[in-house]
Each structure stands twice: as structure tokens, then as C-alpha cells.
Amino acid sequence: MENIKISIIIPVFNAEKYLKKCLNSLVNQTLKDIEIICIDDGSTDNSLTILKKFKSKDNRIKIIQQANLGVSMARNNGISEAQGEYIGFVDADDWVDKDFFEKLYNAAQKYNVDIATAGYYRRGKILRTKRLKYKKEEKITNPAEKIKAVYIPKWNYVWNKIYKRESLLKINLPFEKGRYYEDMIWLVKVIYSLNGLVTVPNTFYHYRKNEGSTVTQKSKKHSDDRDYAEKEMLKFMKDHNIPILLPSKNAEKLKISCFGINLLKVEYYTPYTAKYKLFGFLTILTVRKVF
């Protein structure tokens, strides 16, 4: 297929319960010039059968099979295979609005930027919660303002955005193999490095929060990987003088104690904000430098 506008990369591992809804939302996109790259990460359920059935009906679907190497390697392999002008990511248990990729692509073209980002809903078993909504199209070029616009470090999601493939290949930043929360490390560097970002209103990514998913698991490796990823993200932000706008578990702290009693704690959200907390929990002063 010539003139592919967006390559959509989907890591798939034992996703048979939700995969059809995900794929239906993609094959029915209003933007037709897309390729849908599905990386089967060693699934042991019927995921691969579902992928093959969809592929038999839509030649825009490509299937890559790999051993169970994890989501990072699946995304890296998808990027290597992609031929589109832009790259997008969708998780196999999520879905997008019908005009999602068309609106992102048109906005990226209109403003000549490397990244377009949209809002998203968080979906539970019963309720949906709108977590992010943009009110207007806005082009942003300042690195700190780009990071602020996508709400890093609070939210580190790669999937409600598209990225110019040529620019991604130039910075040569693969997802880190074998770790959970790899999005934290990858996204802040990509947002900082690529040229320009546009916010896109009135279309949404639908993120399904499943018990038992990567982000809800509580193992020591998950906890250790989250700490590692957050520290790497914060270090990058500090090294590049980017303000950390929201509280973070690994923010720098200064504690003043007497006879074992915590009298004052100062949390530094480098480089622009400090919170002074009486007895370690009662915020009495916030000092913030406007930038």
C-alpha cells in the first residue's frame, strides 16, 4: 500500500477478550490510508486466530509473531516494520473514536509538527472517567511547555498521540527491553526531542483499566521498575531544566526532625517548585517560580 499516513502498532498478548473491539475501531477509521501492525507477543489464547481472521478481510493489517519478549520489544519491532508518515500506538484491550487518527493526522499536517496529542477516557467495568480533554487546537514548540501540555509526570501514555516516523528514527530511542513502565522513560525524551506538538480536541482514546494488567500488578519487580522509570524520568527533566509541575514519589526531599519527630519536610519539584510541609504532611507554603 502506497502513501501510508499512519502506522498503528498494537502489541498483542493473550488479549482475545478485547481484541475484536480494538481492531474494529481501527479498520473502521475515517482515515483509510493506514497500516495496522499487530505484534503477537507469544500469545497462548485465541489472539493470533483473531488477528488472522481480521487480516483475511483487510489487507492493511500486518501480523508479526515473536516469542514472549514483552511490550517494549513488540513496539520496537513495530517501529522497525512501520512505513507510515506517522506512528501511533494502541493497546490491544483499548479502542479509539472513529475519527481519532484522521483528526490527529490533519492537525499535525496543518501545524507542521512532529507530534499530535488527543484526550482520553479511562474505562472501568461500569463507569468511564474523562481524564484528559483539550479545548482547542494549539501548537506548542517550547520543550517545557510541550511536556506540560501532555501532563508529564502525572500521565505518561504513548497511545493518545501520533509521532512523525522520520523524526523518531533520527533520535533512535527504542523502548527499554524487559521493563515495566517503559513509557515513563521513553515519552518524556520523545516529547522533549521532537519538533512541535499540537493538542487536538473532540476525539478520544479509550483506555481500559483491567485488574491484572501491567499497571495494576503489585509484584516487587513492578514496584522496582516503576521506581527506576520515575527516577530516570525525573533525572532527565532535572538535567534539562524542565519544571516538574506535579507531586512525584521520587521528588527530592529535605526533612528537619527533632527527637525523632518530623517537624518540617520540604519537597522540591525541581527546578521551580518547593512545598513546605509541617510535620511532614500539612502543606503550609508553596513556593513556585513562574516560567
Side-chain angles (χ1 to χ4, degrees):
M1 182 172 61
E2 298 180 359
N3 192 30
I4 300 171
K5 292 176 178 174
I6 301 180
S7 299
I8 303 166
I9 297 170
I10 314 171
V12 179
F13 177 72
N14 290 351
E16 64 177 2
K17 186 176 179 180
Y18 306 111
L19 187 54
K20 291 179 182 179
K21 185 175 181 68
C22 174
L23 292 173
N24 277 323
S25 79
L26 299 178
V27 298
N28 292 308
Q29 284 291 295
T30 54
L31 182 67
K32 302 303 181 184
D33 301 326
I34 61 175
E35 63 176 356
I36 303 165
I37 304 173
C38 304
I39 300 91
D40 179 60
D41 188 34
S43 294
T44 56
D45 64 359
N46 289 319
S47 293
L48 184 58
T49 300
I50 294 170
L51 292 177
K52 289 179 177 178
K53 185 174 181 179
F54 270 82
K55 178 178 172 59
S56 70
K57 298 177 181 179
D58 194 324
N59 62 11
R60 297 175 300 173
I61 293 177
K62 297 180 180 180
I63 300 173
I64 300 173
Q65 292 180 257
Q66 65 178 38
N68 183 215
L69 301 175
V71 65
S72 293
M73 290 305 296
R75 286 174 175 162
N76 290 339
N77 287 336
I79 292 171
S80 297
E81 181 71 19
Q83 299 297 314
E85 186 179 352
Y86 286 82
I87 285 174
F89 300 99
V90 175
D91 286 351
D93 49 357
D94 300 340
W95 71 98
V96 295
D97 287 348
K98 287 183 68 173
D99 59 1
F100 182 80
F101 284 109
E102 182 174 26
K103 284 188 173 179
L104 287 175
Y105 180 82
N106 287 345
Q109 292 291 294
K110 177 180 177 181
Y111 293 94
N112 190 28
V113 294
D114 285 351
I115 303 171
T117 183
Y120 74 92
Y121 282 96
R122 174 177 167 175
R123 297 277 185 160
K125 289 184 177 179
I126 300 174
L127 300 177
R128 69 176 186 174
T129 306
K130 188 183 292 180
R131 302 302 297 273
L132 178 60
K133 179 182 180 180
Y134 293 109
K135 295 181 179 180
K136 62 180 180 178
E137 287 186 354
E138 182 181 6
K139 179 180 178 179
I140 304 167
T141 57
N142 176 272
E145 290 291 341
K146 286 189 295 177
I147 289 170
K148 179 181 177 182
V150 299
Y151 291 87
I152 291 174
K154 186 176 182 179
W155 293 322
N156 295 276
Y157 302 127
V158 302
W159 31 245
N160 61 326
K161 306 168 180 68
I162 60 171
Y163 315 83
K164 195 164 190 178
R165 182 173 65 93
E166 182 181 12
S167 299
L168 271 184
L169 295 178
K170 281 182 180 178
I171 64 173
N172 189 27
L173 183 68
F175 289 92
E176 193 165 335
K177 180 182 178 181
R179 288 195 181 274
Y180 302 111
Y181 304 99
E182 72 291 338
D183 296 8
M184 285 191 189
I185 303 171
W186 188 87
L187 186 62
V188 68
K189 295 178 180 180
V190 167
I191 298 293
Y192 179 87
S193 301
L194 267 57
N195 295 319
L197 172 147
V198 61
T199 58
V200 183
N202 303 321
T203 194
F204 294 93
Y205 185 101
H206 299 265
Y207 153 57
R208 192 191 304 269
K209 187 177 188 300
N210 293 317
E211 293 301 322
S213 68
T214 296
V215 295
T216 59
Q217 293 181 37
K218 304 295 183 182
S219 72
K220 185 177 187 302
K221 177 168 174 54
H222 281 79
S223 178
D224 289 347
D225 278 7
R226 183 179 181 87
D227 278 350
Y228 167 80
E230 189 171 86
K231 287 174 182 177
E232 287 294 306
M233 174 187 66
L234 296 179
K235 181 179 184 302
F236 180 87
M237 295 175 77
K238 183 176 181 180
D239 289 348
H240 292 81
N241 204 37
I242 300 166
I244 298 172
L245 300 169
L246 298 166
S248 168
K249 177 182 176 183
N250 288 302
E252 295 181 20
K253 298 177 179 67
L254 171 66
K255 293 182 179 180
I256 300 173
S257 302
C258 182
F259 300 110
I261 300 173
N262 190 1
L263 300 178
L264 183 69
K265 181 170 71 173
V266 186
E267 295 180 345
Y268 297 99
Y269 307 116
T270 55
Y272 292 104
T273 301
K275 285 189 176 182
Y276 294 77
K277 296 186 176 182
L278 190 63
F279 305 122
F281 67 90
L282 182 62
T283 300
I284 58 174
L285 179 65
T286 298
V287 178
R288 182 177 293 110
K289 178 180 177 182
V290 178
F291 65 98

